[in-house]
Amino acid sequence: MRLMLYAVLAFGAIALLMSLLSWFAERRLETLAASYITDDPARLPDVPVALVLGAAPIGPEGGPNRYFVYRLDAAAALYKAGKVKYLLVSGDNSRRNYDEPTAMREGLIERGVPAEAIYRDFAGFRTLDSILRAESVFGQTRLIVVSQRFHLSRAIFLAREQGIEAWGFEAQDVKRAYSLVTELRRYPSALRAYFDVWFDTPPKYTGARIVIGKDPPN
């Protein structure tokens, strides 16, 4: 009985420690990335490519995912402001009937972005994969990342630790998260970002090089 009590106390202490570390990691990422993030296109440099981070097109309520919609709104606005020439949409296509990049491409075309300006990364399973593949597969060492602010902090940190000059264009945030899990997962994700940098985690997939602006959009 006493041994079980010690085990429960030890587990609780570890859980509390990990929660505190995750919270600190998220706050630290926000501080480190703050000067690189804006919602004003005029404050961003002109670069060839913006990386638009993926999200599920359909939200848990069955309608359009607001994170997805707002990211596409921001990406289209950035393109129309003339800050970038191309958009690289990066998301999950791990299942035949689930294709974030193609849904993002279709949404951007609906918003007036020409199809020839949109490239797709089908292996952006995590933020880390999207960032690393933007450089290793698509050859980008300077880019603007498009997402909500809490996501941008992590993406900018990962990119700059990789040696990529990255800035963030902030999409409108969702005022009320879909669930507590949606709201809280940013904290362990922030801690994981540090581990990815410390252990030099590679992307899940690499692939043949695609030269944006020279090779036709995939």
Side-chain angles (χ1 to χ4, degrees):
M1 188 69 178
R2 182 174 296 180
L3 182 60
M4 183 177 294
L5 176 61
Y6 289 157
V8 170
L9 291 174
F11 178 81
I14 292 171
L16 177 60
L17 177 61
M18 293 302 294
S19 297
L20 291 173
L21 287 174
S22 297
W23 178 87
F24 179 78
E26 202 277 339
R27 295 294 87 198
R28 182 61 177 163
L29 292 188
E30 175 69 25
T31 300
L32 291 173
S35 61
Y36 300 107
I37 299 174
T38 182
D39 59 2
D40 180 3
R43 297 180 61 189
L44 292 167
D46 295 339
V47 300
V49 176
L51 171 65
V52 189
L53 297 176
I58 304 301
E61 299 168 346
N65 184 343
R66 286 167 286 165
Y67 292 100
F68 178 90
V69 170
Y70 296 156
R71 289 180 199 182
L72 297 191
D73 289 344
L78 186 67
Y79 177 84
K80 292 176 182 179
K83 304 305 293 186
V84 296
K85 296 179 181 179
Y86 302 98
L87 297 174
L88 172 59
V89 295
S90 180
D92 187 349
N93 180 217
S94 58
R95 305 186 302 276
R96 182 174 297 180
N97 62 345
Y98 185 80
D99 188 346
E100 290 179 5
T102 297
M104 295 165 77
R105 180 179 182 272
E106 291 172 353
L108 288 168
I109 291 172
E110 291 173 359
R111 289 163 172 79
V113 179
E116 58 269 22
I118 306 168
Y119 286 74
R120 290 176 290 178
D121 175 12
F122 294 101
F125 306 118
R126 297 175 52 206
T127 305
L128 177 73
D129 292 289
S130 296
I131 293 294
L132 295 182
R133 285 173 54 83
E135 180 185 37
S136 64
V137 175
F138 296 92
Q140 302 307 304
T141 57
R142 300 180 79 241
L143 51 79
I144 295 170
V145 185
V146 180
S147 190
Q148 280 74 26
R149 189 179 187 91
F150 72 88
H151 196 190
L152 287 176
S153 297
R154 180 162 26 106
I156 297 301
F157 169 76
L158 290 169
R160 290 192 166 266
E161 286 293 322
Q162 183 66 21
I164 300 170
E165 288 187 87
W167 296 264
F169 185 53
E170 183 179 354
Q172 179 181 341
D173 204 352
V174 175
K175 293 182 179 178
R176 183 178 178 182
Y178 289 114
S179 68
L180 185 61
V181 172
T182 302
E183 182 67 23
L184 294 180
R185 68 181 183 182
R186 68 185 66 180
Y187 297 102
S189 294
L191 185 59
R192 188 177 182 183
Y194 279 96
F195 280 100
D196 285 332
V197 168
W198 292 337
F199 294 102
D200 198 21
T201 305
K204 186 172 183 179
Y205 296 112
T206 53
R209 287 290 291 260
I210 297 173
V211 181
I212 294 179
K214 293 184 179 180
D215 292 332
N218 53 336

